[in-house]
Structure formats: C-alpha cells, structure tokens
Amino acid sequence: MQILILLIQIAILVAVVLLHVAYATYFERKIIGHMQVRMGPMLVGWHGLLQPIADGIKSFFKEDIIPDQADKSLFLAAPIICLAAMMVSLSVLPFAKGWALADINVGLLFIFAMSSLASYGIILAGWASNSKYTLLGGIRSMAQVISYEIAIGLSLVGVMMLSGTLNLSQIVEAQGNSFFGMFIISQPVAFFVFFIAMLAETNRVPFDLPEAETELVSGYITEYSGMRYAMFFMAEYIGMFVMASIGVVCFLGGWYGPFAVPLFPPIWFILKVYFIMFLFIWIRATLPRYRYDQLMAIGWKLLIPLSLGNIFITGLAMTLAQ
Amino acid sequence: MESTGIIPRLEVSYPDDVLHSYQYCGQDVVLTRKKHILDICSFIRDQCAMNHLMFLCAVDNSRRKEAIGKNEYERFEVVYQFYSMTTKHSIRIRAQVPDDDCSIESITSLWPGADCLERECFDLMGIHFSSHPDLRRILMPEDWKGHPLRKEYPLRGIGEWAGYETLKEKSLELRTFDYRSSQKGNE
Amino acid sequence: MGQLNENDLVKIKDGVSFIPGASALVGPLNRIINWGRAGSIWPVTFGLACCAIEMMVAGSSTNDLDRFGIIFRASPRQADCLILAGTITKKMAPVIRRVYDQMPEPRYVLAMGSCACSGGLFDTYAVVQGGDNFLPVDVYIPGCPPRPEALIEGLITLQKKINQEQGRWSQLV
Amino acid sequence: MSRKISFNCPVQAGDEDRYRIQMGPQHPATHGVLRVDLDLDGEIIRKCNPHVGYLHRGFEKLAEHRTYVQNLVLTDRLDYMAAMANNVGYCEAVEKLLAIEVPQRSRYLRTMVCEMARLASHLLWLATHALDIGAMTVFLYCFREREELLEIFAELCGSRLTNTYTRLGGVRQDVTHSIMMKLEKFVDSFPSNLEEYETLIDTNRIWLKRTIDVGTVGADEAVGLCLTGASLRGSGVDYDIRKHFPYAAYDFMDFEVPLGETGDTYARYRCRIEEMLQSNSILRQCIERMPPGPIIGDDAPDLIMPNKPGRKVEVDVPAQQSLIKLVEDRETFMEGDVYVATEVPKGELGFYFVSDGNGTPYRMHIRSPSFLHISALKTMAKGSMLADLIAIIGTLDVVLGECDR
C-alpha cells in the first residue's frame, strides 16, 4: 500500500515537473520576446498557450536519426542518463514541510551526485555521436562541470556549517529558526558564487559554451533529433529547476514566506523558484557569451578562492559567536 | 589622379619592359612585359611609396578591338592598380601575358593580400602564377573544367560539372523512393 | 517519403481510415499530429544570399516569426523545414542536398525568392536554375527578394499543406 | 533510418594529431555560405583556411553579355545589405567612363542614400556581430532601427533591399516631403538609440573581454593584406575613399574619419560605431543643404531603347548565343579602361571597366572588399581560439554575395 502511494506521488511529481518543463519553455520564449520588443508565441492556442504541446507532439512524431558512425548503444543511452539523473534528483527536494518524496539525510550530496551524473550523459552524447562539433561540446561541458562543481560545493559549505546538516528540509528549518530568516543575508558571498556557478552548471548564458549556437552549431546535441533531442531539452530545464530549487532551499528560506498559505503550502517555494528562473531568462536576454578560457579563469581564479574565503570567515564568525 | 612622374621613372629604370603608356580619364596606365613584373612592383612599392594594392585582375584580349593587330598586345594581361596613401598618386600596370606561356610571377611576397586575387585570376582566367604558395581554384569547385572568364567560354558553361551531375542522379533515385517502395525495402 | 495518398487508405467510417498492411489506424490522431507539426515549424538557420536578410527581418521584432511557433534551429537534425533563401549555385547544391538529407522526416522545403524558384536573373554557368532541380520544393515564394510578409504568407501556406496531410509517419529505425 | 555522415576531411600524413573541423557552409556564424577549414589544437586554431565561392554567380561574365544599363540591377545583389551604395559605385564608374555629367541635386541624393545604406549595413553588422558573440537582444534592437531605414527606401524606390535607385546620369526618383520628414525623424532619434546599444554592449565586461586584443592586426600588415574600410581604419590607417577620391557630394560634406589605434576587434567595433554617428551627421547635412534642380542630367543615356534616331541596333550572333547588342553612338564612348572606387560600408568597392566601344563592357572587374577581408582571415585567426574566430569573422564584416560575385 505504501509503495502504491509512493508510486502515485512519483507519478504526480513527474507529471507536474514535465508540465513545468513544457511551460518553462513557453515562459522563456514569452519573457525574452517581450524583452526584445516582440510578442513570442501567439497563434497556437490562446496567446500561444498550447505552443509547448504542439512542440512536444511534433518532436514525438519526428524521425529518429542515428548517425551511421555513431556508437549506437551509447548514443541511445545518453539522453536517458541525462534525463533520469535529473529526474531522480527531484525526489529529495522539499517543496513544503513534509512534501518531499525522500527526506534523506544526505540530500544535498545526492543532488550533487545526480547533477554530475547528468553531465556524464552530455559527455557520452558528445562522444557517441562521432561528430566533431558534438565532441567539442562534450569536452567543453566536461571541463565546465568539473570546475564549477567544486565552486558550487564550496559555496554551500557555509550553509552546511550554519545549519549543521545535509538534509534539505532541515536546512530550510534552520533558516526558519535563524535570526535573519534566510541564509542569503548571512551568506551573501556564498550566494553570489552559487548563482554564477549555477548558471555554468546548467549551461545557461553567459556560460552556454557546450551548446554555443554560433560556435558549435548546437554543441553536444547537434546530432540528436526528434524525441531524443526533446529529452535533452527536458533534462536541461529540469536541471534549471533543480538548481533554482537548491538556491531557494539553501539561501532563500525554502517554503517559508511572509505568511503561511493554508491550502497549498508550496506556493512560496514555487514563487521563489520562478523568480530565480526569471533571473536565468533575464540574463540570457542581456549578456554575451564568455570564451572558453575566460570561463575557466572565472571558475578557478575567482569563484573558488572567494568561496574558500567565505568558508574561513563563516567559521571564524561561528567560533567567535560561541 | 593627376600625372605623377612615376611613368618616366619607370621608363628609365625598366626601358626594356615598358611597352607603352597613356592617360585615360585622368588615370595613368603603363603597358609592360611580364618578365620583370615582380621587380617593377617592388620598385613601385618601395621607391614610389605605393603601399596599397587596389585590385589585381586579368583581362582576355582576344576579342578586344584596340588589341587586334597590334603586336604589343598579347592574348592575356594582368592588371595591377597601385595607390599611395601618402602622396595620393595611383598607377595602373597592364602586364602582357602570352597565350602559349600563360604564367606570370606572383606578387604575394610583396602584398600577402594578393593571394586571393591571384587565385581568382587563375581560377577564372587560367593564368598561372609562379611561386604562388597555394595556387588552387577559389571560386569554382576544384574539379571544374574550363576558365569561365575566357572569351571563348560560353555564358551558360560547357557541359555540366561532374558534382552537379551526380547530385541530379541522386535526386532522381530518391524521387522513386515513395511510401510503397520503402515498405518493400524494409521487408 | 512516407507520404500516403488518399486512395491508399481503406476508409472504415467517417474520419477513420486504415492503412492496409501496416496495422495502423489513421483517424483523429492524424489531425492532432498535423496540428502539432503545423504549430511548430522549425526552419534550419541557413541563408544563401539576399533573401536571407529578409528572412532575418521576418524573424525580428517587426514581424516576429515566433508568434507562429517558428524558431530557427542551427542543427539540421532538429529542424523541420529548409528555407532556400537565395541563389543556389552549383558548388552549393550538393551542400544543400546534404543539409536536406540530414533533416529528419517529415521535412519541408520552401523556395524563397526568384533565384531559388527559377534561377532568377542569373542565367549563367554557375547557377542552378531553381531549387526544384534537386529538392522536392513544397512552397514557392516569388519576389526578389520577397518582403518578410511574403515569407510569412509562404509559411502559412505550408501550414495549410501540413494540415491536409494524411498519415505522414516517420519511419522507425 | 540511419544515414551516413562523412566529413570530407581526409587525414594527411603528419596531421594525425590535429583536430580538423569544417565550419560552414551551413553554420550559424559564417554570415551566409563561407566555409572555414580549421586545424585545431584543443580550441586553439593552428591553421585556418577559408573557402569561398559557394555564392559565385558569374557576375563578371554576365556583365560582358549585357549593356551598361542592364548591368545596374546586378550591383544590387553584390552587397545586399547596402545595395544603394553599390548602385552609386557602379554609376560613378560608368559615368566616368562615358563622361556623363551628374546634376548637383542628384549628387546630394546619392550621398544621402549612400549614407542611409551605410547605416543600414552597419546596423546589420552590429546585430550579427553581437549575436555571434552571444548578445541576442542587440540583434533585435538593431533590426528595429534598420526597419525604419528600409521603409524609407521602400517609399523612395519601391524596394527594401534591392533598390536600383540610381540611373546613369542621376537618380530615378526625387524625394518627397514625407520621406524627408521620416528621415529627419530618424536622424534625430538615431544617436540616442545608438547610445542604448552602447550601454548594452560597451559597458559590458564580457563584451570587452571577448573583443579586446582579439584578432589584432598592425597598420602595415593591414595595408599589406589589402584591408579597406573600417577594418583598415581600426588599425589606425587613414584611408577613406570619401576623402581620398571624393565622389557624389562628399566634397561638400563636413565629416571626420574615425580611426582606431590598436587594430583589434574592439577598435574595429568602435570605428564602425563612430562611423554611424558620422553618417548620421552627413545625413543631417544632406537634409539641410539639399539643392534644388533636376535629378537626372541632360546627357544621360536614354532608357527607351531601340529605333531612336542616332542609335542603331546591331545584331551580333556569336558562336553559342544570340544577343542583341545595343550600340549607342556616343562620342564620349571610347575604347579605354577606367577604375573607379567608392567607399561602401564594407570598404573599397571598385569597378574596373575595359571598354572597346561596344554598348556592353568588354570586361568588368569588381574589386570587392569582402573578398580580400576573407583572405585576411587566414592570417588574423591564426593562434586565436575557436570563439575568437567567430568574433573576427563578425568584425571583418564580410558579405558573401559581394565576396563571390
């Protein structure tokens, strides 16, 4: 019986998140459209509301091309790895008090593990396609993920020290109990590092080098068509969602808001996540792209020393406070 | 583009090479032989401060009225236009290239930018530039036959390019590939 | 490629047909798929000459192709539609054919401008006299170059064409 | 269905450790159909080999089979971003060859449309350059501005891109009051709009990092590579045909030629931005000083062709084609050759005509700036990174229609 309930919960979560992915693309197109003095999707459904569904249907019924020289099994597996890893990391996210599928003690570590696993999918996709552009995209992605995973991890150490746990629900609770309410106030540097590394981790502008359109055509997904391409697309948007959620959980106070909402407690969580998603889109509409070596320089020369310094100062402050 | 005094200096320095010189629409033109063209060009660049190569092209003289029957004109000529950004003088050199020895020295050592222009002359007019580092066709495909800008080459081309022929054959093949035949292919 | 003719189908009842030998029903699903395909035509980012500039203008704020769900994709693998925007030379033709071959079914070709339709004013040794010499062109858009509005009209014509299709399925591996 | 992909890059001896990549002809950043073969070492370019000719339409051959008037439409399709400037360039060259006098008003009109074309072209350059570097919003803002200009073009001559506005001996149509009003409005609002882009781009650290010290080319090297236009002026060489060989009404215009110092991508970018402001001021001067008078000269060749007294039609059937040659009995129509260069947005566009007294050019050579700029890519891209190559292609402002002819 318990398993059945769990399965239903998983099904609901997956359905909701997939719908979110579909409409995140819609919001992105709409918001960027309005920032660029145009309208975005308008004609498929009322104000283009059915646009993501049309895209989905079309992609599902497209021909599925596997290049002759590709490594077939890896080529097929890569999008699945990518999507599965991203989806699994959803299970530990606490949307509201008690609204987490698996409230495990190492939630934060689990998410890191899963997001690194997703980058395996990207690298495999780049390699298995046996095309030069995809390989370059895969290599770029690998280097980027390795360097920014460190920064993102170090930036969260301060949060772990303050809350004393790796459990995501308890991190939120710790913020609810703390004097300032949110860790962003006590850990602004960590949030800054986290935010930049988050952009890089999800391959968003200005760090969208693995799929830089004007350089590498479409980067690691150049050879993918139809549904497999859509799977990468979904994985990318779920990745954005997961990263934004970590930001909300660790820095913005999770499900806590100015007042409690009775019927649907995750509302504050979702609003905060969408605020971060809006920032993602805003940045995409504004900034140019970094060069590969500059990206590395920012990661190693700026973010990692900053977050190390942040850990030191946090530790110092905590010792002094005791 | 008033008269510059370069032509007399050229005539003095290269008496055997300068065939004829004239002024048309206020532009100085010198007809030369092709033999010492590299020396002439380096003389113009270094002694006359003409640092800018405006253009380089080839002309097929075979149907040119003014050229017919005059022995100083050869079948082809390579035209160079030089300009001095400092003295604001310009000069045009028309080096005559005969049909039977269709080659001339390359000036890429003086102007690296001439590289493309010489390749274009080779491609469209069939003039061979000796000591050019990388003389290949540039505008037409590598296996194109003929040199389109020669006067005997018709506007719509001779025959069909092999690459395009194969493409057309391939398209015809694919045209028969409809729903039913693809079903058969899968069985 | 997988285009079916009307008389290939066995009609069971109004709106529902049957493909003989393929054990597939073509019915309302067909309409939904056609709606999806018509609603999200993704052309490949591929400009040849002058018309490409007008194609870019069509995608910019004044005309905004995104309203129709049309966004340009850089990789032919993710595109549905090839807009031949400009003069097709013989040197370029094999490349265009290769781009077309890399696109997944169902795919459509728009010939934009007089050069892509018929060779235009370049009747020379180097120019292909019309894109339909080596590609199955779906929609022809006249003009030199056509205004962006004409391109949009061509895309709407393509949508109409897609909506009339019957059982154009992608082939499985 | 699985399909075969091949890359057409055979591995040669000694090249086994090189990573060869073929960019284009279908690539989002090659501005049309340029193909660049790259030898990469990691992401650093060891060898860069541009291939052109994918848009070679045989202009020069075609021109030999058409009359001077017929050839005018071809020039629109050269640099399709600034067709007006090409029209003017062609007409200036033919007028010099045929010694046709152009009335003052049409000189001013030509200057005006030239500068409008320059603005339209530079705006498109800024748009694509920004898009290449990744700033997608600038792309759409620039198109908004450009659209205003194109609509003025459409009102002036009925066409947005391929204008064919000039005629031998003048221009086709006079400006109306509403066009002047629109243009004035544009000229007034343009500098503030440009400022808006600059705040988006120029104050952006990422933009500066991506452009400063990228694709640097020194002054002497740039002259040797035959660069012209803003690409040359970015290296600090003061060479602008509008000053050196004034044509149209540039003699009477008061403008400066912006020069860069460093010769990198950023300097070229600054040059073009400054040039846009200068163009704007030239446009303002044109509006203010536009003289009255006829728009086409008295001795302009007539467009109503055959059977007019003083003309004869000669039918010449060469070996493989039949072509009616329209021979004009003009005293000024002599045998000779002439080269006239004009400053189009991309650089120096020159027409070299060889005339043998016929109604058609014996040989027309087009000196296109883009062709030489692409050949300079080989030198400029060496040793830089893959992402820099995109910035360099963008900053050279090449257009393949003009390059391949």
Side-chain angles (χ1 to χ4, degrees), chain A residues 92-262:
Chain A
V92 293
L93 290 179
F95 295 96
K97 197 165 189 164
W99 283 48
L101 277 183
D103 201 5
I104 55 174
N105 277 336
V106 285
L108 209 50
L109 286 184
F110 181 78
I111 284 184
F112 283 148
M114 282 304 140
S115 70
S116 315
L117 199 61
S119 66
Y120 266 111
I122 292 176
I123 295 155
L124 284 182
W127 188 79
S129 304
N130 203 359
S131 154
K132 305 203 174 184
Y133 285 113
T134 59
L135 183 57
L136 264 185
I139 292 171
R140 279 181 173 193
S141 169
M142 181 153 53
Q144 188 169 329
V145 166
I146 288 172
S147 9
Y148 279 80
E149 197 93 326
I150 299 171
I152 212 167
L154 289 176
S155 72
L156 288 174
V157 168
V159 172
M160 295 173 200
M161 285 159 77
L162 285 179
S163 57
T165 174
L166 284 173
N167 183 313
L168 292 172
S169 303
Q170 284 170 15
I171 291 177
V172 176
E173 293 291 345
Q175 290 177 69
N177 297 334
S178 79
F179 177 69
F180 296 109
M182 294 175 184
F183 282 153
I184 185 177
I185 296 174
S186 51
Q187 294 276 323
V189 179
F191 183 72
F192 170 74
V193 173
F194 173 78
F195 190 79
I196 291 175
M198 175 169 76
L199 289 173
E201 188 81 3
T202 49
N203 299 336
R204 297 288 297 182
V205 173
F207 307 107
D208 61 337
L209 294 155
E211 46 189 301
E213 190 170 288
T214 47
E215 291 159 30
L216 300 181
V217 188
S218 299
Y220 60 91
I221 42 178
T222 304
E223 297 291 336
Y224 282 88
S225 63
M227 210 50 212
R228 290 182 207 285
Y229 163 68
M231 280 160 93
F232 273 117
F233 206 66
M234 278 192 268
E236 188 189 325
Y237 276 84
I238 297 177
M240 273 167 72
F241 181 80
V242 169
M243 279 297 158
S245 303
I246 299 178
V248 170
V249 164
C250 294
F251 292 102
L252 298 178
W255 60 80
Y256 285 108
F259 54 89
V261 182

Side-chain angles (χ1 to χ4, degrees), chain D residues 76 82-89 113-114 117 153 156-157 161 163 165-166:
Chain D
D76 287 321
M84 287 285 198
N86 298 334
N87 291 162
V88 172
V113 294
C114 258
F153 280 158
L156 187 60
C157 56
L161 270 189
N163 311 101
Y165 177 59
T166 54

